[in-house]
Amino acid sequence: MKNWRIGIDVGGTNTDAVVLDENFNLISSIKCPTTEDVTSGIESAMHKVLESSNIDKNRIGYAMLGTTHCTNAIVERKRLKRVAVIRLGKPATAAIMPMADWPEDLKAAMNVECFLIEGGFEFDGREISPLDEAELKKIGEKIKGKVESIAIISVFSSVTDSHEKRASTILKKILGEDFPISISSEIGSLGLIERENATILNAALVEVARTTTESFVKALEREKIFDVKIYLGQNDGTLMSVDYAIKYPILTIACGPTNSIRGAAFLTHMRDAIVVDVGGTTTDVGVLVNGFPRESMVAVEIGRVRTNFRMPDLVSIGLGGGSIIKLKENGEIEIGPESVGYKVSEKALCFGGDTLTATDIVVAKGLADNIGNKELVKDLNFDMVDKVYAQMTFMIEECVDMMKTSRDDVEVILVGGGSILVPDKLKGCGRVYKPENFGVANAIGSAIAQVSGQIEKIFCLDEMERSKALEEAKHLALEEAIKAGAGFESVEVIDVEDVPLAYLPGNATKIRVKAVGDLVIS
Amino acid sequence: MRKIGVREIEDMAVGAAVLGTGGGGDPYVGKLMAIQAVKEYGEVTLLDPEEVPDEALIVPSSMMGAPTVSVEKIPNGEEPFRSFNALEKLLGQKIYATMSIEAGGVNSMIPIALAAKKGIPLVDADTMGRAFPELQMTTFNLNGIKGTPLSLCDEKGNTMSLHTINNKWTEKIARAVTVVMGGSAILADYAVTGAELKKAGVLGTATKCELIGKAIREAAVSKKNPVEAVLEVTGGVKLFHGKITDVARKTDGAFVHGRAALEGLGEDKGFYAEVCFQNENIVAKKDDAILATVPDLIILLDKETALPVTTESIKYGARVIMIGIPCDNQWRTPKGIETVGPRYFGYDIDYIPVEMRVQEAANK
């Protein structure tokens, strides 16, 4: 049976890989340094995790990848496509043209052409103006051969997406069925500028997504792993198929923190807790609610471009296993944010290096007997060690406290390679769980991820009962999840949110529903 | 008289959000509109109210409608221009300059975009010195100035003029028309003479917004305490240092009501505080004592950055400093307190100026 899976997660410091059997038992795991090109780090992690145990490669039927390729392409402004942006909303929206506050170098890297034409909707579904199909055809002819990807954005496409879809059909007739077109209703939520930004980034990334998945397939083939189903991790902790990932590469952004929170849930069988993920350079604290990461309400910036993605709600501090400790003359202690990163195993004192790091403090305190050489840190001043340790603990406690939703004690799950830094007791916390295999929780999270479907729409409750609107929204979300590959039996609604729109009579309400299910294993 | 460009607009947007006292919406869209307009038409002249001739016609420009709509169906840029042209025709007089109706969100920024496009100056004043939710809550109204005749315009070019018997009817009719127009519209209302403005306006608000934004920006660079910097430029007082421990919200019709509980930190350790809000912050308490009420400004600032925390974004765990800023003296008259005092918002509390409450507490 080809029912085992390999999961790989690319982090800032390490690239982790795991192999799980059909019952999700961990067969093998490995950590490798993340490389600058990302791909070679993935290849060596994959090679090592397969080599480290005698795995029958024929049993591997699924491969899951959580990667930073797309984030890096935006940050480095490399390998981005030439994009045409077509906004449907005229006469509205001209007061802010597309990409108004983008960094100039990013705009230049994408060589964008922008168009604003008639189309788009009001909040209640009326047309602002009919779609200007003649103009659209002219644009199609004009950009033929000049751009490589198109982003289409209509006003209130979350109310109805018909103009965006019609525009896409018209352009494909001119430019070819396979021409990459990103439409905003499939990418973002309310907030025209932020959704438009995300759609443009998505359009620019189609090539990156394609080469990433292709090189992943090649890496698997080089390891003699064939005919596997491949999935990529998304920022909400669920998976998407390769076809989907090539269409919506922007959704792979920031899947890392989500994977470790999901992995923590899996390793402890807990549904609600605070997850503290300590890496080599930073500590991320997130919240597990009903088995999924709590999402942030704040607009997220990617490469200094504002989007309306809902990322996991996280606080990050510069404290990790490699954090450099500086003792100042006035007695103050500075912990991080500077870090030796993955080089901790050469640079830290306890490994014979010359830099005092957070890891040395726990080794000196006798809390990590299997790490480094305790002899090498025995001369450290005892008071100083205690003081630094107390300060590190305080930093973590403060973070946990910021993420709590009530004054009551919460349960905490500790994961990540650096979690030896954290004591078993934390102020304001109930039990602190340190699950087995905590070091590769992120790769496990990537391997066990489920698939989801989500919808967000505005309903006018004057015309429709609230319960009916909710039913319809749930139905649509379940359908989306099944379309994405979720098994019919396992799919369930995990989140419902309805927000009335202030200052508007007519009872307009925004309803957002998310459904999730297990991947169908054939 | 001086010029304002992109840098000044950035600072003003931050300062306006502070004076928005938790409401006034997200200034992001407004800021981008103003920046695009000055990039296209050039910088805007900001006039000191003293420089405005007494007989000149001054008209505020503002947006009415749902913030949720304005972040999706962004204006076209012509609306304020058209509504001004319509009002000029109606009044048979050229408009000399524009100004803000309130400090906060979009409404601090729309007049800048208009001033750039129409090539008229912006007067350094508004009609609240802060943000309030209803159209009659202006110092112009306190002085018996009517909101109408007004003109209302949507992005399609539909323009409507309105004459009403009082400002409450203006609020009702204009809001109904706004819905037909697609949930947001741009207003030109409360036309005044230069002389009226000098008497009935809140003067210097634009500069105040800019100074607050500048103080926060510079404090971030120089590592000064940004909250202290805000207090310095506003004459405000620190009311409480704490952490949000609970937030409850309820939407009824047009408004979001709620309260946030705070637990003291640092010098306030062991004490508890509470902020009640209705779009904007209304009442602040420390244990059982009242710290401040409307019309004084109650503002939550992020402890590290001094950026304002809006009533929509308050969440558990946020470390904040609550500050109070004395409102404009016109709000401290019997009519002012009747219009926007604690009792108007349903709190049976006497209005006592925030600086007196602080003094009283210190004497105890």
Side-chain angles (χ1 to χ4, degrees):
Chain A
M1 278 283 276
K2 283 177 85 72
N3 51 12
W4 287 18
R5 40 181 89 190
I6 179 166
I8 294 183
D9 184 82
V10 182
T13 308
N14 285 310
T15 297
D16 300 349
V18 296
V19 174
L20 303 182
D21 73 7
E22 69 272 27
N23 297 316
F24 294 166
N25 295 311
L26 185 68
I27 303 296
S28 160
S29 70
I30 198 86
K31 270 182 167 332
C32 289
T34 295
T35 51
E36 223 173 298
D37 69 339
V38 181
T39 303
S40 60
I42 292 175
E43 284 169 0
S44 67
M46 190 191 298
H47 182 74
K48 283 184 187 154
V49 79
L50 293 167
E51 193 186 44
S52 68
S53 55
N54 270 329
I55 295 165
D56 176 3
K57 289 176 180 173
N58 286 322
R59 300 210 61 170
I60 292 177
Y62 302 89
M64 282 81 172
L65 174 66
T67 180
T68 53
H69 273 98
C70 289
T71 316
N72 292 357
I74 296 171
V75 173
E76 293 163 9
R77 282 99 166 94
K78 276 181 191 156
R79 293 180 292 143
L80 300 171
K81 285 282 182 195
R82 280 177 292 156
V83 179
V85 180
I86 303 174
R87 191 199 279 170
L88 317 174
K90 204 171 157 187
T93 77
I96 305 176
M97 289 309 281
M99 311 173 83
D101 64 341
W102 283 45
E104 287 300 327
D105 59 336
L106 181 55
K107 259 198 309 212
M110 294 163 48
N111 204 359
V112 178
E113 282 207 60
C114 295
F115 304 91
L116 170 60
I117 68 169
E118 287 178 3
F121 296 91
E122 305 281 4
F123 72 94
D124 52 9
R126 287 177 289 161
E127 279 183 347
I128 294 174
S129 31
L131 180 64
D132 188 346
E133 302 198 357
E135 186 62 30
L136 206 53
K137 284 174 192 154
K138 269 192 226 156
I139 293 171
E141 296 298 341
K142 188 175 169 225
I143 59 179
K144 209 172 182 175
K146 288 195 194 138
V147 303
E148 299 157 298
S149 189
I150 295 175
I152 302 175
I153 306 94
S154 118
V155 174
F156 277 115
S157 62
S158 58
V159 174
T160 153
D161 61 4
S162 60
H163 281 180
E164 287 186 353
K165 290 211 160 130
R166 175 77 189 134
S168 170
T169 309
I170 291 171
L171 289 168
K172 284 196 169 175
K173 267 195 195 132
I174 299 167
L175 301 164
E177 251 333 282
D178 294 331
F179 197 89
I181 294 181
S182 304
I183 69 173
S184 82
S185 54
E186 293 176 352
I187 286 169
S189 51
L190 270 182
L192 181 79
I193 301 296
E194 291 92 339
R195 186 174 72 251
E196 178 174 84
N197 287 347
T199 311
I200 299 170
L201 288 175
N202 190 73
L205 285 170
V206 288
E207 180 67 21
V208 178
R210 209 171 47 79
T211 53
T212 304
T213 48
E214 277 173 8
S215 66
F216 190 54
V217 174
K218 273 193 202 128
L220 285 161
E221 285 171 356
R222 218 170 301 141
E223 298 298 331
K224 307 267 182 296
I225 297 176
F226 301 100
D227 299 326
V228 290
K229 290 212 164 99
I230 295 171
Y231 296 90
L232 268 77
Q234 332 186 34
N235 57 35
D236 69 351
T238 59
L239 295 171
M240 51 185 169
S241 64
V242 169
D243 296 345
Y244 202 83
I246 290 172
K247 267 179 96 178
Y248 308 113
I250 192 75
L251 302 180
T252 66
I253 300 269
C255 60
T258 309
N259 281 341
S260 67
I261 294 172
R262 291 272 303 143
F266 174 78
L267 291 170
T268 55
H269 304 291
M270 288 167 72
R271 307 274 293 173
D272 299 279
I274 299 250
V275 178
V276 178
D277 181 3
V278 190
T281 307
T282 59
T283 294
D284 296 328
V285 179
V287 185
L288 187 62
V289 180
N290 203 12
F292 278 84
R294 182 173 82 204
E295 290 176 336
S296 160
M297 301 300 287
V298 187
V300 174
E301 286 198 356
I302 303 169
R304 287 196 286 134
V305 173
R306 184 153 136 155
T307 73
N308 53 4
F309 279 119
R310 289 164 172 256
M311 300 291 182
D313 192 7
L314 288 181
V315 279
S316 294
I317 45 167
L319 171 63
S323 291
I324 297 172
I325 315 279
K326 284 183 189 151
L327 308 169
K328 291 191 174 168
E329 278 175 18
N330 61 5
E332 269 179 39
I333 300 161
E334 202 180 285
I335 304 173
E338 235 181 300
S339 167
V340 297
Y342 69 91
K343 289 190 174 147
V344 68
S345 51
E346 353 170 343
K347 297 251 167 119
L349 298 179
C350 64
F351 288 104
D354 57 2
T355 313
L356 178 61
T357 66
T359 300
D360 296 315
I361 300 296
V362 277
V363 171
K365 270 190 83 73
L367 295 169
D369 289 338
N370 50 355
I371 293 174
N373 181 353
K374 205 178 164 187
E375 281 300 300
L376 294 171
V377 288
K378 72 174 184 335
D379 293 336
L380 288 178
N381 177 309
F382 241 69
D383 286 347
M384 182 277 291
V385 167
D386 280 346
K387 241 172 104 183
V388 176
Y389 189 68
Q391 192 168 323
M392 281 165 26
T393 306
F394 180 73
M395 285 166 80
I396 304 249
E397 285 170 348
E398 285 278 296
C399 270
V400 170
D401 192 52
M402 279 173 76
M403 298 305 279
K404 283 165 69 173
T405 42
S406 83
R407 229 181 282 172
D408 304 332
D409 282 1
V410 286
E411 295 187 310
V412 170
I413 309 170
L414 273 179
V415 294
S419 58
I420 44 149
L421 302 188
V422 186
D424 295 336
K425 278 226 164 68
L426 287 170
K427 206 179 116 199
C429 303
R431 253 188 86 178
V432 176
Y433 295 84
K434 226 181 258 189
E436 224 181 309
N437 303 314
F438 59 86
V440 287
N442 48 349
I444 293 174
S446 146
I448 54 110
Q450 295 172 294
V451 285
S452 73
Q454 179 170 316
I455 72 119
E456 181 176 289
K457 269 183 99 113
I458 294 176
F459 291 86
C460 278
L461 299 188
D462 275 359
E463 291 157 23
M464 189 184 220
E465 269 174 58
R466 185 169 174 277
S467 58
K468 256 197 173 152
L470 280 173
E471 264 328 296
E472 186 184 323
K474 284 181 188 169
H475 179 74
L476 289 170
L478 290 169
E479 265 185 355
E480 282 295 311
I482 292 166
K483 247 201 295 186
F488 183 71
E489 317 74 39
S490 68
V491 70
E492 58 173 332
V493 170
I494 61 154
D495 195 19
V496 180
E497 182 188 276
D498 63 321
V499 186
L501 304 190
Y503 288 106
L504 269 191
N507 255 328
T509 292
K510 181 174 84 177
I511 301 180
R512 193 171 76 100
V513 180
K514 188 169 177 178
V516 166
D518 294 329
L519 198 59
V520 183
I521 303 282
S522 46
Chain B
M1 184 191 301
R2 64 194 174 93
K3 291 281 180 190
I4 51 174
V6 173
R7 167 48 63 80
E8 289 81 8
I9 290 170
E10 302 252 4
D11 285 342
M12 278 181 188
V14 172
V18 171
L19 297 184
T21 67
D26 182 349
Y28 178 64
V29 163
K31 183 178 87 175
L32 292 185
M33 280 170 59
I35 289 175
Q36 177 165 320
V38 300
K39 279 190 179 161
E40 195 172 340
Y41 302 105
E43 297 193 330
V44 167
T45 302
L46 182 70
L47 286 185
D48 189 282
E50 285 312 312
E51 296 170 291
V52 178
D54 278 348
E55 66 291 351
L57 181 62
I58 312 296
V59 180
S61 176
S62 59
M63 193 206 84
M64 183 168 206
T68 328
V69 169
S70 68
V71 299
E72 179 70 29
K73 189 180 73 171
I74 288 159
N76 147 307
E78 294 287 334
E79 307 91 333
F81 191 68
R82 286 202 198 105
S83 64
F84 262 50
N85 291 350
L87 196 63
E88 281 182 338
K89 224 185 231 170
L90 204 65
L91 297 171
Q93 195 183 344
K94 284 273 165 215
I95 296 170
Y96 180 82
T98 187
M99 61 182 281
S100 301
I101 199 91
E102 65 176 342
V106 174
N107 282 342
S108 287
M109 295 288 128
I110 283 178
I112 301 176
L114 170 68
K117 186 175 166 67
K118 198 169 160 62
I120 55 174
L122 176 77
V123 184
D124 191 354
D126 77 336
T127 72
M128 300 182 196
R130 49 167 293 156
F132 275 126
E134 294 171 33
L135 208 142
Q136 76 280 5
M137 296 175 169
T138 66
T139 52
F140 284 2
N141 186 41
L142 294 185
N143 286 273
I145 297 166
K146 275 183 65 183
T148 60
L150 65 72
S151 69
L152 189 64
C153 188
D154 67 14
E155 77 284 349
K156 301 167 190 79
N158 298 308
T159 308
M160 195 197 62
S161 300
L162 190 59
H163 299 264
T164 58
I165 51 168
N166 62 37
N167 288 338
K168 285 236 168 187
W169 275 104
T170 314
E171 162 79 29
K172 256 192 205 166
I173 297 172
R175 206 166 285 280
V177 172
T178 300
V179 173
V180 179
M181 287 180 162
S184 71
I186 304 283
L187 279 177
D189 62 351
Y190 279 112
V192 291
T193 64
E196 284 175 315
L197 162 75
K198 288 172 213 174
K199 177 172 173 283
V202 178
L203 309 182
T205 306
T207 297
K208 198 171 184 180
C209 287
E210 189 191 342
L211 288 176
I212 296 171
K214 186 165 173 246
I216 291 174
R217 173 170 53 82
E218 287 178 350
V221 178
S222 66
K223 306 237 157 109
K224 244 176 71 180
N225 181 332
V227 175
E228 293 296 333
V230 171
L231 293 177
E232 243 167 66
V233 295
T234 56
V237 285
K238 193 164 145 191
L239 298 176
F240 197 77
H241 172 196
K243 169 187 141 171
I244 309 287
T245 54
D246 190 30
V247 193
R249 283 190 197 89
K250 194 176 85 206
T251 308
D252 82 29
F255 299 114
V256 181
H257 295 263
R259 44 177 291 282
L262 291 90
E263 188 181 316
L265 294 171
E267 64 284 12
D268 283 314
K269 209 171 177 91
F271 295 98
Y272 296 89
E274 184 180 78
V275 184
C276 304
F277 52 84
Q278 176 187 318
N279 288 17
E280 283 86 26
N281 297 325
I282 307 290
V283 174
K285 297 180 206 165
K286 179 174 174 180
D287 292 329
D288 284 327
I290 306 289
L291 285 172
T293 69
V294 276
D296 287 327
L297 289 70
I298 300 163
I299 301 155
L300 298 177
L301 298 176
D302 180 278
K303 190 187 163 223
E304 301 300 327
T305 62
L307 290 173
V309 180
T310 63
T311 53
E312 287 159 7
S313 66
I314 297 177
K315 61 170 204 169
Y316 178 93
R319 266 76 171 150
V320 296
I321 309 270
M322 189 203 297
I323 67 167
I325 300 178
C327 65
D328 188 79
N329 275 330
Q330 299 193 55
W331 293 123
R332 294 181 165 184
T333 58
K335 182 147 189 229
I337 294 166
E338 186 197 326
T339 311
V340 292
R343 287 204 170 81
Y344 182 88
F345 291 94
Y347 294 88
D348 194 16
I349 301 169
D350 288 330
Y351 171 70
I352 300 172
V354 59
E355 61 276 19
M356 281 168 69
R357 286 194 187 271
V358 169
Q359 191 59 48
E360 234 171 71
N363 291 343
K364 266 183 197 166

